[in-house]
Amino acid sequence: MNTQDYIRREEKYGAHNYHPLPVVLERGEGVFVWDVKGNRYFDFLAAYSAVNQGHCNKRLLEVIQKQAGTLALTSRAFYSSKLGEWEEFMHKLFGYDKMLPMNSGAEAVETALKLARKWAYKVKGIAREKAKIVVCNGNFHGRTITIISMSTDPDSYNEYGPYTPGFVSIPYNDVVALEAVLCDPDVAAFLTEPIQAEAGVFVPEDGFLKAARELCDQYNVLFIADEIQTGIARTGKMLACDHEQVRPDILILGKAISGGMYPISCVLTNNEVMLTIKPGEHGSTYGGNPLAAAIAMEALQIVLDEKLAENATLMGEYFRSEMKKFDSPFIEEVRGKGLLNAISIRPIKGKQAWDVCLAMKEQGVIAKPTHGDIIRFTPPLIINEAQMADAITRIKEAMKTFE
Ligand SMILES: *Cc1c(COP(=O)(O)O)cnc(C)c1O
């Protein structure tokens, strides 16, 4: 089978809910992936930042083999020897009283929304069915019906209605707009991404998170941070909120807490919020299984042992400074934090971000446009300086091919 055969097979038998770059991947190791023809690529998407620890990480492989051969799934009908160990690990690492484990990021967001509503009725004293949750224009929190009900992107919500009510959307990075809605006593929570990644890597002004945190305190509103993509060292700190020493009331994690090995997500919060949910009121068959627990602990320990946050800061600064110095008519803006970066592309002679990505693929670097004219650059956080220099040269070569 050649590349086209693989692509045609997916097109024929698979749903058309993605528009992949025409490359068929077969193998991965560290910062690299190989296609079915044996071509090597720098992976500058890293599965939307799920593979921060690098592809097929040896330490994760060992833990998976060991735990999968010992006990993989118990359901939460019983206790397991691994879940408590993981919960305690998360308490020590992030400082919250309790964790609730799920699988996909969307499920963790749903869990956070449920917690916020329960807290609104049981603790804050909002009248039943009246709780509102404030979100930001341009948000991306996943794909369930409730989550797309708070999306402002027509591609996400069109023709999936009727929608879940109870959300109020305000401009991102706008403290004045936030205060104007938070003073409504029916507001239970403010949900935000510390950096809007899917929307195109929009970094808010310094101080936005801190100001939002203070307003939430002032109005007795829960501050919920969706760090599914920004967390786990991606932006140069374990959490993006750490840049402003902001501590969310509810923290949502996913993606890289498994190092790309398994769908794992979780919600962290303190007793006042977490204990509003009673036995039987929420759950997941796979959530918190022993295999997931073992993988998550190892994936996080790798981030700490290998100082991936520090590396993300250094390599991110290097990437942005090189790309800012590079004189290409394509480059409108280079922005980001740590290794969560984007370049907005100015179309030249009919060539757009998609064409730049195709040219980069020819040079051995794969990345994908997000929202039309923006290319996100998010390699695994284990990338070293020589590899980054090599990748930057290739990205520049790709942009030059159109001149
Ligand atoms: C990817 C992502 C999600 C959804 O995670 P899934 O595992 O795809 O359900 C939610 N929020 C943010 C910020 C994300 O990047």
Side-chain angles (χ1 to χ4, degrees):
M1 273 174 58
N2 65 28
T3 298
Q4 282 312 315
D5 296 328
Y6 285 100
I7 291 174
R8 268 196 294 269
R9 185 169 62 179
E10 277 196 34
E11 293 291 313
K12 183 164 182 206
Y13 297 109
H16 292 183
N17 57 330
Y18 279 90
H19 180 42
L21 210 71
V23 58
V24 181
L25 303 177
E26 185 169 61
R27 189 163 70 83
E29 192 184 321
V31 299
F32 298 113
V33 286
W34 285 262
D35 70 11
V36 287
K37 288 186 286 189
N39 297 315
R40 191 195 74 174
Y41 304 94
F42 282 93
D43 182 1
F44 264 57
L45 183 62
Y48 305 105
S49 298
V51 190
N52 287 3
Q53 298 84 340
H55 287 281
C56 300
N57 188 291
K58 296 271 182 313
R59 283 177 60 179
L60 286 175
L61 270 180
E62 262 176 46
V63 163
I64 288 170
Q65 270 185 329
K66 187 158 164 272
Q67 190 60 44
T70 306
L71 185 63
L73 181 63
T74 56
S75 86
R76 298 291 304 280
F78 312 107
Y79 292 92
S80 86
S81 58
K82 275 284 158 202
L83 178 56
E85 187 187 342
W86 179 28
E87 288 165 339
E88 184 178 12
F89 181 97
M90 297 299 272
H91 165 71
K92 287 184 175 148
L93 187 53
F94 294 103
Y96 291 90
D97 291 339
K98 286 184 167 55
M99 175 183 90
L100 197 160
M102 298 295 282
N103 312 285
S104 69
E107 286 175 307
V109 172
E110 290 270 348
T111 301
L113 298 173
K114 282 172 135 184
L115 280 164
R117 285 181 171 186
K118 275 271 190 234
W119 175 87
Y121 303 129
K122 289 191 160 174
V123 180
K124 185 165 177 177
I126 294 174
R128 283 276 178 98
E129 312 292 309
K130 293 289 179 214
K132 292 177 194 162
I133 292 170
V134 178
V135 299
C136 296
N137 299 345
N139 70 72
F140 181 85
H141 298 292
R143 299 294 195 170
T144 66
I145 296 259
T146 288
I147 291 171
I148 58 104
S149 297
M150 57 194 190
S151 172
T152 56
D153 173 12
D155 284 348
S156 293
Y157 67 74
N158 258 352
E159 292 163 339
Y160 291 126
Y163 304 107
T164 306
F167 300 106
V168 180
S169 198
I170 59 163
Y172 189 60
N173 189 24
D174 187 335
V175 181
V176 177
L178 182 60
E179 177 149 29
V181 293
L182 287 197
C183 54
D184 176 345
D186 285 341
V187 171
F190 172 52
L191 165 64
T192 191
E193 299 153 86
I195 293 173
Q196 284 192 331
E198 289 307 305
V201 187
F202 292 109
V203 183
E205 268 163 53
D206 284 344
F208 168 68
L209 297 173
K210 208 174 193 88
R213 167 74 274 181
E214 281 162 12
L215 285 173
C216 286
D217 285 338
Q218 191 181 331
Y219 293 102
N220 192 25
V221 165
L222 298 175
F223 183 98
I224 310 177
D226 178 349
E227 293 243 21
I228 291 170
Q229 192 160 158
T230 53
I232 320 304
R234 173 53 60 184
T235 71
K237 300 265 187 201
M238 183 55 98
L239 300 175
C241 284
D242 294 343
H243 288 287
E244 296 190 18
Q245 289 96 43
V246 160
R247 195 180 150 73
D249 297 301
I250 302 181
L251 173 64
I252 310 169
L253 298 175
K255 295 202 167 104
I257 61 167
S258 71
M261 284 294 188
Y262 202 69
I264 307 176
S265 66
C266 72
V267 172
L268 299 168
T269 186
N270 284 339
N271 287 336
E272 176 184 300
V273 176
M274 194 68 93
L275 296 179
T276 59
I277 289 186
K278 304 283 183 235
E281 294 179 349
H282 186 57
S284 160
T285 301
Y286 276 81
N289 69 72
L291 184 56
I295 293 170
M297 282 187 279
E298 190 70 3
L300 289 166
Q301 196 58 52
I302 291 167
V303 171
L304 299 171
D305 292 348
E306 300 190 6
K307 301 195 171 16
L308 296 187
E310 289 88 333
N311 194 55
T313 300
L314 291 174
M315 291 302 109
E317 276 164 9
Y318 178 34
F319 176 82
R320 283 188 302 280
S321 81
E322 284 298 310
M323 295 315 295
K324 278 178 183 167
K325 272 189 278 177
F326 179 54
D327 185 24
S328 164
F330 277 116
I331 298 181
E332 197 168 67
E333 194 192 9
V334 180
R335 59 173 178 260
K337 207 169 216 170
L339 278 174
L340 178 57
N341 293 298
I343 297 179
S344 65
I345 299 292
R346 188 185 297 116
I348 302 288
K349 298 184 207 145
K351 299 291 177 193
Q352 318 230 346
W354 175 262
D355 303 289
V356 174
C357 286
L358 289 176
M360 288 196 313
K361 175 178 83 78
E362 294 308 311
Q363 298 294 332
V365 177
I366 51 171
K368 197 66 209 294
T370 178
H371 283 85
D373 57 351
I374 300 161
I375 305 174
R376 175 173 26 192
F377 292 87
T378 54
L381 306 185
I382 58 168
I383 193 166
N384 66 33
E385 196 172 334
Q387 290 167 337
M388 185 57 104
D390 187 354
I392 288 169
T393 306
R394 291 161 186 268
I395 293 164
K396 290 177 178 174
E397 278 308 311
M399 290 187 180
K400 282 188 213 157
T401 52
F402 299 110
E403 280 171 14

